[in-house]
Amino acid sequence: MKKFRYLIFLLVPLVALDFCTPSTAAKDKKDVANIKTPGSLPGSKNVAVLELFTSQGCSSCPPADRLLGTYASKENVIVLSFHVDYWDRLGWKDPFSSKEYTKRQYNYASALHADVYTPQLVVNGQTEMIGSDANKISNAINKIVEQQPEATLMVKEVKVENGKALVNFDASGKIKNATLNVALVEKKTTTDIKAGENGGVTLTNYNVVINFQTINKVDNGNNMATIDMPSSPDLQNMSVVLFLQDKKSNKISAATQAAF
């Protein structure tokens, strides 16, 4: 297990047992996705959003990465793998790591009065736990999906134009104080680790966030979101995740995922 206590003055508040903590394209295509994911339509069950903060440079993370993968195709569950950058100093630079994702984890830690460590899982912005604690994760998911959703998201169309993904979607319900988070993910990646704590191991990660942005205002009814695509996208291995998050409490009220 690796963990450390965060420093409050380093944080920007979010309105955004084995674990680790640090010590010190192809030509653009046009594709349409008509999405009817569980939780995106009125009257359906709530959706549990699992945000795993992980790193290919952390020896405690692979069990959590594998566990996250078992939920990737479950109904009423959306998983996101945010790769942090503070373990890059251990000899392996995680190709998916980002300071932005590290900042998001610190923000959650501040809001939840928790330590920062890997693998750390945040469920619907409200609770955190070790990412390999299967029983605790299962209980948290069951509790969430039994609730009625406070808002709904429904993707109507996804297409790629000029290096960007354009997502046309409807939003409804309690969205007045919500931001819209847009995550571009690779559904499954396999990496041969050459050095560091996992040197010599082949790791598989699921729903790896490769681009992320937050839109501060969402309207009831029709909306459009855009996010930059990589230069040579493998559209068959990519999807877009949308989720509404309260600006003050961080509670996630609706989420949906659209394939290309």
Side-chain angles (χ1 to χ4, degrees):
M1 172 177 94
K2 296 184 179 178
K3 71 178 185 178
F4 67 104
R5 294 196 174 274
Y6 55 85
L7 301 178
I8 297 296
F9 64 86
L10 293 177
L11 304 177
V12 178
L14 269 183
V15 180
L17 188 77
D18 198 20
F19 60 92
C20 305
T21 65
S23 57
T24 5
K27 185 178 179 181
D28 283 342
K29 301 179 181 179
K30 290 186 179 181
D31 278 297
V32 174
N34 295 315
I35 307 304
K36 293 185 178 179
T37 55
S40 67
L41 300 177
S44 62
K45 290 184 178 179
N46 206 12
V47 178
V49 177
L50 311 184
E51 298 180 64
L52 179 66
F53 295 93
T54 184
S55 172
Q56 292 183 349
C58 167
S59 60
S60 301
C61 288
D65 297 326
R66 290 191 293 269
L67 180 58
L68 191 76
T70 66
Y71 284 104
S73 60
K74 298 285 187 182
E75 289 188 352
N76 303 103
V77 180
I78 292 177
V79 305
L80 293 167
S81 181
F82 287 96
H83 287 228
V84 297
D85 69 344
Y86 47 77
W87 291 124
D88 289 353
R89 61 184 173 79
L90 296 182
W92 175 257
K93 187 181 187 313
D94 188 329
F96 303 109
S97 65
S98 168
K99 290 185 181 298
E100 179 184 2
Y101 307 153
T102 297
K103 180 180 178 181
R104 184 169 179 82
Q105 184 186 23
Y106 269 76
N107 289 341
Y108 270 135
S110 177
L112 297 173
H113 307 289
D115 289 334
V116 170
Y117 59 91
T118 53
Q120 185 173 34
L121 187 79
V122 178
V123 182
N124 274 36
Q126 298 295 283
T127 58
E128 66 86 24
M129 60 203 68
I130 297 172
S132 53
D133 191 334
N135 289 334
K136 195 169 184 180
I137 294 169
S138 178
N139 290 336
I141 292 172
N142 290 336
K143 183 177 180 181
I144 289 169
V145 299
E146 288 173 356
Q147 303 169 1
Q148 286 296 312
E150 297 179 354
T152 61
L153 288 171
M154 185 175 67
V155 174
K156 299 194 296 185
E157 181 183 67
V158 181
K159 59 184 178 180
V160 178
E161 290 183 354
N162 300 319
K164 296 181 181 294
L166 283 67
V167 187
N168 184 264
F169 67 97
D170 280 336
S172 62
K174 295 181 179 180
I175 64 174
K176 182 178 180 181
N177 297 313
T179 60
L180 178 78
N181 293 304
V182 184
L184 184 67
V185 306
E186 291 192 10
K187 292 183 283 188
K188 186 176 180 180
T189 67
T190 301
T191 308
D192 294 325
I193 310 302
K194 304 297 185 182
E197 292 189 347
N198 291 316
V201 175
T202 298
L203 298 181
T204 300
N205 299 110
Y206 300 88
N207 268 25
V208 179
V209 180
I210 59 173
N211 199 0
F212 186 80
Q213 68 176 34
T214 297
I215 299 171
N216 287 324
K217 187 177 183 300
V218 183
D219 297 319
N220 268 292
N222 188 66
N223 293 264
M224 177 68 74
T226 63
I227 191 166
D228 289 339
M229 297 287 290
S231 57
S232 299
D234 177 7
L235 294 180
Q236 292 186 340
N237 191 42
M238 299 181 73
S239 64
V240 178
V241 173
L242 307 180
F243 60 102
L244 292 172
Q245 189 161 29
D246 188 85
K247 295 176 181 178
K248 293 183 178 180
S249 69
N250 297 330
K251 183 178 180 180
I252 294 171
S253 59
T256 191
Q257 183 167 355
F260 287 88

